[in-house]
Amino acid sequence: MTTPPVTTAPVAPGPLGRWFAEAGERRYTRTRRIPLDALEGWHTDARTGDLVHDRGAFFTVRGLDVSAPEGPVPHWAQPILDQPETGVLGLLVRDFGGRPHVLAQAKPEPGNAGGLQLAPTVQATRSNFTRAHGGRTVPYLRYFRDPPSRGLVADVRQSEQGAWFYRKRNRNMIVRTTEDVEVLPGYRWMTLPRVHALLGAGDVVNMDARSVLACLPPPPGSAGRALHSGREILHWLTGVRSRAGLRTRPVPLRGLPGWHRTEHAVSHDSGRFFDVIAVEVRAGGREVRRWTQPMLRPHGTGIVAFLLTRVDGVPHVLVHAAAEPGSVDEAELTATVCCTPENYDVLPPGARPRFLDEVLAAPPDRVLFDALLSEEGGRFHHALNRYLIVAVDGPGPYEDAGTHRWMTAHQLSALLRHSHYVTVQARTLLTCLRSLTGPDGTLER
Amino acid sequence: MTTPPVTTAPVAPGPLGRWFAEAGERRYTRTRRIPLDALEGWHTDARTGDLVHDRGAFFTVRGLDVSAPEGPVPHWAQPILDQPETGVLGLLVRDFGGRPHVLAQAKPEPGNAGGLQLAPTVQATRSNFTRAHGGRTVPYLRYFRDPPSRGLVADVRQSEQGAWFYRKRNRNMIVRTTEDVEVLPGYRWMTLPRVHALLGAGDVVNMDARSVLACLPPPPGSAGRALHSGREILHWLTGVRSRAGLRTRPVPLRGLPGWHRTEHAVSHDSGRFFDVIAVEVRAGGREVRRWTQPMLRPHGTGIVAFLLTRVDGVPHVLVHAAAEPGSVDEAELTATVCCTPENYDVLPPGARPRFLDEVLAAPPDRVLFDALLSEEGGRFHHALNRYLIVAVDGPGPYEDAGTHRWMTAHQLSALLRHSHYVTVQARTLLTCLRSLTGPDGTLER
């Protein structure tokens, strides 16, 4: 495998780079860690030890008890972020010169490793979205509140990190407009190829943008013949979901087995997995200029990879049907490999993910995509995953264990019209895969 | 509205009636109520008061705390059946003389008001289904355990009564075979029109059969132009699901506010809603000849109705997006009206369901379908709902409140390929609607 790319965000020179640099002068966050007890507006619940916002807003850090009777780790406990509110990730699309452009914003988040990132047009909480005059505080929100039918491209609630969030969903919306749209400072129309090119160029395109871009319908004529019919895929997934998967039960954060709380963090006794920390944030270009909040800080860099093969010339990726503690409905379709390798040093050998070694040992000429990208910087502190697409000769024996199936990008897109099918990591990879393919769906390398 | 039909099951005379009568002599259940403390193999949990099976099998009767901050009843508590295992409802289909036939079985259940009913080919628990030699104890199971791709018609986990079950799902499977199939006593090949005719003839076709029949693909060429596109329907449902719906929390059954336990039942203080009771069952034609179990016994007869209108000649039904306490993911699409009217005597006036009065006041010539049908007799004791399809002049103002939308049967069918969309009551009504339509989807009256 090639050397990991650097984590800072080298946005290309030229007008785009200048716009990004200028935006970064006005919009920024400075984050520093503080003791958990120094959180303001948050408290430790006297009975449970959960970290709770004083008004019950934002999210809660709870404990979760997880049973996986048929898995290699049959039982564990962990902290988890419980954020029941559904926010809106909205992407505005407009044609200029016959080519679709998306309205991106340059947005900083406290947990970002590299500062400013490209975000969707709108990232709004539910209260922003439903408030009568919400349009005043969140720019462009009005385009998403009652879109005309002809402009509605996608509107679907999608899951986020089921290992860290308890049943979290955000509403991914794409709306096409023909109106003249005022471009505010910090916003910019960009072509899809331009956004795609930035995906592989460092940690620039944020998780929310990658997620909502994955909900774009596939290019017409790009279907190709799939190894398995859609009905077979659903049959397989129904079978996986009907087995005894994970059973979860919220439990107090205080006294969570295997975890301990210090002045600065809730940590696993092994030092692996993640910490719950507290930060103070000072921000420019936002209404609120200073706040404190808990964040989840993972240990180690994750590996998120699709194996890819061509079947009769049509690219297929190997999806993994896997349940996570925060899944709403058992297994979703995720990357072939989606893990933090170091964690398996403290887990039974049987827990080591299938195909991880194959990804790590891939010769450079089989690595089609390779970039360090960060997860949502509003909740996760320096959560970097190395996203890879690795070509293999297939279909081969990869499906033998019943946990993985070869699917086309078109098939994943069809399922993305609905909730509960494709994880946020697989959505990122689908967007990365599109960055490699031409308008007809063929791989460009 | 016409007089309610009788509840006993007058199966037509002739060979079918004789077969049914003969089956009823071998296969039967006799049920009598017993005190809760007389349950054998079950106990009342010392700490929670929950009714629990000694080996943790079958299901548990728990308490559930429900918050609906934006609803007319913002908070309540209730008992609920928690049955995490996913069972299989399998329907075997085979062509005879060019016409599809389904293999039905005559099956008694302890809670049935009318005794024997027509059930799908297979009703198996997960342990039956996954056991290596499961085929020995459950006839025809082998057809569903690894169906050839060309015979796979449907395989999807569907929800059941969200007011009574906590996140229950069963796997609805339809498999088409070309093999010669031995017809065991108590089983019979029947055409779809034959099953459909029995739907309106009394409480004969059981809930599981109605549910799995709804998962049959619609007749080809029956689509018709819909008032709303599929994308608009998903946008509307995503919007409903993104609002603050129901939040639920398991709580102890003992001391559940508003409920009390007597020797024979856990009941609501008002005498409405339902009781949790205990029964002793003696059965013929089963491996187990005597057992005891808790059951849920509803008070009153429910009204489950679709309003139906024609838009440019295409039949549309008015679906209601509504969350129930046991819903996995907020609102599903249910009947226009789905309630037990008496319950609203003890609830605030604002809770009375929209369109209930319109259904109750419908003149007889607008009532296209009207039958008393029972819900699952393995868990529910004499749970009868009056299923109605009522024609109205539309589309009219029915969608104004944002809670209801007109959809075609074809659109509901498309969503039935996936979980989380169509409730079991709406599935029953979809099957009833199909019983009224010809092969091209036109209404026959």
Side-chain angles (χ1 to χ4, degrees):
Chain A
M1 201 162 73
T2 52
T3 315
V6 293
T7 70
T8 49
V11 175
L16 182 67
R18 280 198 300 278
W19 164 77
F20 213 66
E22 282 166 22
E25 285 168 23
R26 273 191 319 277
R27 309 179 120 197
Y28 59 85
T29 53
R30 307 270 178 267
T31 302
R32 76 178 178 94
R33 288 187 62 175
I34 57 173
L36 291 171
D37 283 339
L39 285 168
E40 299 161 28
W42 295 74
H43 64 274
T44 299
D45 184 84
R47 192 174 58 82
T48 61
D50 295 351
L51 288 170
V52 184
H53 188 260
D54 293 349
R55 285 183 290 107
F58 305 111
F59 61 97
T60 302
V61 187
R62 302 187 187 284
L64 194 72
D65 179 274
V66 187
S67 298
E70 300 181 3
V73 184
H75 181 256
W76 71 92
Q78 64 166 85
I80 201 154
L81 308 189
D82 184 3
Q83 182 172 343
E85 234 193 41
T86 301
V88 171
L89 313 177
L91 190 68
L92 196 61
V93 181
R94 189 186 189 283
D95 280 358
F96 294 94
R99 298 172 71 203
H101 288 61
V102 301
L103 187 59
Q105 65 168 308
K107 194 170 198 301
E109 292 288 359
N112 288 357
L116 216 58
Q117 291 184 319
L118 287 181
T121 320
V122 162
Q123 290 185 196
T125 63
R126 174 174 179 268
S127 19
N128 286 142
F129 194 69
T130 51
R131 193 191 305 160
H133 303 291
R136 264 220 311 260
T137 50
V138 179
Y140 305 109
L141 195 53
R142 69 175 185 88
Y143 290 95
F144 299 91
R145 293 180 72 192
D146 194 17
S149 172
R150 67 182 180 285
L152 186 65
V153 179
D155 184 6
V156 59
R157 291 155 83 238
Q158 296 290 3
S159 64
E160 297 187 1
Q161 288 79 1
W164 298 338
F165 275 126
Y166 189 63
R167 300 186 176 163
K168 163 103 183 276
R169 264 76 54 82
N170 266 330
R171 189 170 175 179
N172 287 238
M173 294 186 80
I174 304 174
V175 169
R176 185 180 279 273
T177 187
T178 53
E179 292 179 29
D180 284 333
V181 177
E182 183 194 4
V183 177
L184 300 171
Y187 292 80
R188 189 179 180 88
W189 288 110
M190 299 174 69
T191 64
L192 283 177
R194 188 61 164 145
V195 177
H196 283 158
L198 291 171
L199 266 175
D203 184 21
V204 182
V205 182
N206 85 353
M207 182 193 89
D208 294 339
R210 300 183 319 248
S211 169
V212 71
L213 284 167
C215 299
L216 275 171
S222 65
R225 187 171 168 78
L227 183 61
H228 304 291
S229 71
R231 185 165 286 142
E232 285 165 351
I233 292 290
L234 292 180
H235 165 57
W236 164 67
L237 184 59
T238 298
V240 172
R241 286 178 169 172
S242 299
R243 290 201 278 273
L246 298 182
R247 294 223 75 190
T248 62
R249 187 168 54 90
V251 293
L253 186 59
R254 178 175 297 126
L256 199 64
W259 297 77
H260 61 275
R261 176 168 169 165
T262 61
E263 184 187 359
H264 279 89
V266 177
S267 305
H268 193 256
D269 298 345
S270 69
R272 306 297 171 120
F273 308 107
F274 57 82
D275 293 344
V276 177
I277 63 169
V279 296
E280 177 196 62
V281 186
R282 292 178 186 275
R286 290 197 187 218
E287 289 197 345
V288 183
R289 304 196 61 87
R290 181 185 168 280
W291 71 90
T292 68
Q293 66 169 91
M295 299 197 91
L296 189 152
R297 187 177 79 95
H299 290 281
T301 299
I303 297 285
V304 183
F306 265 152
L307 294 185
L308 179 146
T309 197
R310 289 175 181 79
V311 183
D312 294 334
V314 178
H316 284 64
V317 293
L318 190 66
V319 299
H320 180 201
E324 295 179 299
S327 300
V328 169
D329 185 25
E330 303 286 348
E332 293 196 15
L333 303 175
T334 192
T336 316
V337 172
C338 182
C339 72
T340 303
E342 292 92 320
N343 290 342
Y344 296 90
D345 298 347
V346 298
L347 293 173
R352 191 166 170 87
R354 290 170 63 82
F355 309 121
L356 172 58
D357 296 324
E358 188 144 2
V359 168
L360 294 176
D365 66 333
R366 310 307 300 269
V367 178
L368 307 182
F369 184 92
D370 184 357
L372 269 179
L373 302 173
S374 63
E375 307 305 308
E376 222 276 294
R379 297 289 173 269
F380 307 128
H381 188 268
H382 294 200
L384 285 162
N385 283 316
R386 187 168 179 187
Y387 282 90
L388 294 137
I389 299 177
V390 173
V392 296
D393 297 324
Y398 295 96
E399 300 186 338
D400 288 355
T403 53
H404 293 71
R405 282 289 179 276
W406 291 109
M407 289 176 68
T408 66
H410 210 275
Q411 290 182 312
L412 284 171
S413 285
L415 294 181
L416 273 166
R417 295 180 60 203
H418 309 283
S419 304
H420 307 295
Y421 279 119
V422 185
T423 67
V424 66
Q425 294 94 342
R427 297 201 299 279
T428 281
L429 278 176
L430 184 61
T431 298
C432 298
L433 178 60
R434 285 206 186 136
S435 78
L436 304 178
T437 54
D440 59 350
T442 54
L443 275 178
E444 294 189 333
R445 52 173 284 198
Chain B
M1 202 163 72
T2 51
T3 316
V6 293
T7 71
T8 49
V11 175
L16 181 68
R18 280 198 301 278
W19 165 77
F20 213 65
E22 282 165 22
E25 284 168 23
R26 273 191 320 275
R27 309 178 120 200
Y28 59 84
T29 53
R30 307 267 178 271
T31 303
R32 76 177 178 94
R33 288 187 61 175
I34 57 173
L36 291 171
D37 283 338
L39 284 168
E40 300 161 29
W42 295 73
H43 63 276
T44 299
D45 183 83
R47 191 175 58 83
T48 60
D50 296 352
L51 288 171
V52 184
H53 188 261
D54 293 349
R55 286 183 290 108
F58 305 112
F59 62 96
T60 302
V61 187
R62 303 186 186 285
L64 195 72
D65 179 274
V66 188
S67 298
E70 299 181 2
V73 183
H75 181 255
W76 72 92
Q78 64 166 84
I80 201 153
L81 308 189
D82 184 2
Q83 182 171 343
E85 232 192 44
T86 301
V88 172
L89 312 176
L91 190 67
L92 196 61
V93 181
R94 189 186 189 285
D95 281 358
F96 294 94
R99 298 171 73 203
H101 288 61
V102 301
L103 188 60
Q105 65 167 309
K107 194 170 198 302
E109 292 289 359
N112 287 357
L116 215 58
Q117 291 185 319
L118 288 181
T121 320
V122 162
Q123 291 185 196
T125 62
R126 174 174 180 269
S127 18
N128 286 142
F129 194 68
T130 52
R131 194 190 307 160
H133 303 290
R136 263 220 312 260
T137 50
V138 179
Y140 304 110
L141 195 53
R142 70 175 184 88
Y143 291 95
F144 299 91
R145 293 180 72 191
D146 193 17
S149 172
R150 66 180 182 286
L152 186 66
V153 179
D155 184 6
V156 59
R157 291 156 84 237
Q158 297 290 4
S159 64
E160 296 187 1
Q161 289 79 2
W164 298 338
F165 275 126
Y166 189 62
R167 301 189 174 162
K168 163 102 182 274
R169 264 77 53 81
N170 265 330
R171 189 170 175 179
N172 287 237
M173 294 187 81
I174 304 175
V175 169
R176 185 180 281 272
T177 187
T178 53
E179 292 179 30
D180 285 334
V181 177
E182 184 195 3
V183 178
L184 301 171
Y187 292 80
R188 190 178 179 88
W189 288 110
M190 300 175 68
T191 64
L192 283 176
R194 188 61 164 145
V195 178
H196 283 157
L198 291 171
L199 266 175
D203 184 21
V204 182
V205 182
N206 85 353
M207 182 193 89
D208 294 338
R210 299 181 323 246
S211 169
V212 71
L213 283 167
C215 298
L216 275 171
S222 66
R225 188 173 167 76
L227 183 61
H228 304 290
S229 70
R231 185 164 286 141
E232 285 165 351
I233 292 290
L234 292 181
H235 166 58
W236 163 67
L237 184 59
T238 298
V240 172
R241 286 178 169 173
S242 298
R243 290 201 279 273
L246 298 182
R247 293 223 77 190
T248 62
R249 188 168 52 90
V251 293
L253 186 59
R254 178 176 296 127
L256 199 65
W259 298 77
H260 61 274
R261 175 168 169 165
T262 61
E263 184 187 357
H264 279 89
V266 177
S267 305
H268 193 255
D269 298 345
S270 69
R272 306 296 171 120
F273 308 107
F274 57 81
D275 293 343
V276 177
I277 64 169
V279 295
E280 177 196 62
V281 186
R282 292 178 187 276
R286 290 198 188 218
E287 289 196 345
V288 183
R289 303 197 62 87
R290 179 185 168 280
W291 71 90
T292 67
Q293 66 168 89
M295 298 197 90
L296 189 152
R297 187 177 78 95
H299 290 281
T301 298
I303 296 284
V304 183
F306 266 152
L307 294 185
L308 179 147
T309 197
R310 288 176 182 78
V311 182
D312 295 334
V314 177
H316 284 65
V317 293
L318 190 66
V319 299
H320 179 201
E324 295 180 299
S327 301
V328 169
D329 186 24
E330 303 287 347
E332 292 195 16
L333 303 175
T334 191
T336 317
V337 173
C338 182
C339 71
T340 302
E342 292 92 321
N343 291 342
Y344 296 90
D345 298 346
V346 297
L347 293 173
R352 191 167 170 85
R354 289 170 63 83
F355 311 120
L356 172 59
D357 296 325
E358 188 145 1
V359 168
L360 294 176
D365 66 332
R366 309 308 299 271
V367 178
L368 307 183
F369 184 92
D370 184 357
L372 270 179
L373 302 174
S374 62
E375 307 305 308
E376 220 277 295
R379 297 290 174 266
F380 307 128
H381 189 267
H382 294 200
L384 285 161
N385 283 316
R386 187 168 179 186
Y387 282 90
L388 294 136
I389 300 177
V390 173
V392 296
D393 297 324
Y398 295 96
E399 299 186 340
D400 287 356
T403 54
H404 292 70
R405 282 289 179 278
W406 291 109
M407 289 176 67
T408 65
H410 210 276
Q411 290 182 313
L412 284 171
S413 285
L415 294 182
L416 272 167
R417 294 181 60 204
H418 309 283
S419 303
H420 307 296
Y421 279 119
V422 184
T423 67
V424 66
Q425 294 93 343
R427 297 200 299 278
T428 280
L429 279 176
L430 184 62
T431 298
C432 298
L433 178 61
R434 285 208 186 135
S435 77
L436 304 177
T437 54
D440 59 350
T442 54
L443 275 176
E444 294 190 331
R445 53 173 286 196

